[in-house]
Amino acid sequence: MADLRGFDANQVEPAGDFEPIPAGKYLAVIIESEMKPTKAGTGNYLQLTFQVIEGPFQNRLLWARLNLDNPNDTARKIAQGELSAICRAVGVLAPNDSLELHNLPLVIHVRCKKRMDTGEITNEIKGYSKKESPAAPSNNASAAKTTPPWKRS
């Protein structure tokens, strides 16, 4: 039993739909990170929580698990490669703590995958890249802004 005194559902928006988002690239930030033991108890993984920060799926959460401490060399190398991609995408190449990766925008590459156990479609993060900087205006674009319309060719 849990004490729920003080909670009023009238004051809180109900939880939304947890359907997977479409495959694509989304601007996101890491909002949580935690080292957790593996199910087998033979190592640890870094769980990262990403939040989409713009577009129609703004505020949706996605997760990545990086097997950084694992007896399987392949799993560990894959996790290290993913962490390297995340670090490069956010511009923190040698973090001392996962908190240093929080709240820095990056692009996550999301795909939809069918779960083997339930057959449900879920999201999976399959890549990371830098947030694109807004392009500087070219000389032609800036000239068009300063040249009166009747003098433009």
Side-chain angles (χ1 to χ4, degrees):
M1 184 163 18
D3 182 359
L4 297 178
R5 285 179 285 192
F7 179 76
D8 180 358
N10 292 309
Q11 303 300 318
V12 179
E13 284 295 316
D17 186 355
F18 291 108
E19 290 293 316
I21 64 176
K25 294 181 180 183
Y26 298 92
L27 188 60
V29 293
I30 296 170
I31 60 167
E32 292 178 6
S33 57
E34 181 181 2
M35 213 47 152
K36 295 184 171 188
T38 60
K39 188 184 284 187
T42 58
N44 296 291
Y45 63 89
L46 176 63
Q47 180 169 292
L48 300 171
T49 303
F50 293 84
Q51 182 175 32
V52 176
I53 59 173
E54 69 178 25
F57 299 99
Q58 185 172 349
N59 297 324
R60 285 295 300 268
L61 302 179
L62 296 109
W63 292 267
R65 291 181 175 168
L66 309 181
N67 287 296
L68 295 172
D69 173 23
N70 194 293
N72 182 314
D73 284 340
T74 302
R76 195 172 53 250
K77 286 178 182 177
I78 290 169
Q80 289 172 346
E82 269 193 74
L83 183 57
S84 176
I86 292 166
C87 289
R88 291 166 193 266
V90 299
V92 179
L93 298 181
N96 292 312
D97 192 293
S98 61
L99 286 173
E100 294 175 48
L101 306 174
H102 288 209
N103 300 311
L104 299 171
L106 74 158
V107 175
I108 57 174
H109 307 223
V110 177
R111 76 174 190 167
C112 294
K113 178 182 172 184
K114 190 179 216 178
R115 287 181 52 155
M116 299 298 281
D117 57 347
T118 64
E120 292 179 354
I121 302 297
T122 62
N123 286 130
E124 180 178 52
I125 301 173
K126 288 307 289 178
Y128 309 89
S129 56
K130 287 183 180 182
K131 173 188 171 191
E132 292 184 21
S133 303
S138 67
N139 288 343
N140 293 344
S142 59
K145 289 180 184 175
T146 58
T147 306
W150 60 89
K151 287 189 175 180
R152 293 182 201 152
S153 45

